[in-house]
Amino acid sequence: MNFTTQRQLTVALENYPGRLATVSSIISQQDINIMAISLVDNIEQGVIRLVSSEPAICKSLLVKEGLYVIEAEVLAIELTDSPGELARLTQALGSAQINIEYTYGSTVRPDDKMRLILKVSDLKKACQILTEL
């Protein structure tokens, strides 16, 4: 299975119009590409998780803007967009007692590859399992 480990940034923002525009503008002004993103709303704030082409620079820019940024290592998995692929992946990780803490992903067209981001409880062990798949 094709995968890499990548640095993900998590940013908590006030939940009001324009905040995502501000964050994405800050990042784009430095020609940094957002390769994956998730935004989840909470009662009083939104939580953005993103994987970018330049995580260290991206973090520095966001911290400079006064935002609190948390870093984590995540798995970026290229998964075939077909029935059963997610089941095969999650069963292998579950059988190895690896918890999936959260995930997000997308695909452009049916039968194309999907990019799936996973935060797992044991990154090293998960990488070993994925190498075997």
Side-chain angles (χ1 to χ4, degrees):
M1 187 166 285
N2 191 12
F3 71 95
T4 60
T5 59
Q6 295 189 339
R7 206 78 182 138
Q8 172 192 264
L9 304 178
T10 300
V11 183
L13 293 174
E14 301 86 0
N15 197 1
Y16 63 82
R19 291 303 286 155
L20 180 57
T22 300
V23 169
S24 58
S25 293
I26 292 166
I27 294 168
S28 70
Q29 288 170 1
Q30 298 298 315
D31 289 330
I32 297 172
N33 187 34
I34 296 173
M35 300 166 2
I37 189 166
S38 168
L39 172 60
V40 179
D41 68 330
N42 197 334
I43 294 171
E44 295 180 7
Q45 65 183 11
V47 176
I48 297 174
R49 290 188 171 106
L50 64 89
V51 175
S52 75
S53 58
E54 298 288 343
I57 297 170
C58 188
K59 178 183 179 183
S60 177
L61 292 167
L62 296 173
V63 168
K64 187 177 176 181
E65 286 294 315
L67 298 170
Y68 181 68
V69 181
I70 299 171
E71 293 181 87
E73 289 290 318
V74 294
L75 292 167
I77 303 168
E78 191 174 282
L79 195 63
T80 302
D81 183 24
S82 62
E85 285 298 297
L86 181 60
R88 183 170 79 104
L89 167 65
T90 56
Q91 286 169 355
L93 293 174
S95 294
Q97 298 300 304
I98 297 170
N99 186 44
I100 299 170
E101 297 171 11
Y102 56 81
T103 184
Y104 54 97
S106 66
T107 184
V108 178
R109 294 175 295 279
D111 300 321
D112 207 355
K113 296 288 184 183
M114 169 183 203
R115 186 156 202 250
L116 186 67
I117 304 296
L118 292 174
K119 174 73 166 73
V120 296
S121 59
D122 188 334
L123 185 67
K124 184 177 178 180
K125 190 173 178 181
C127 289
Q128 292 171 345
I129 298 297
L130 294 175
T131 299
E132 296 169 6
L133 285 179

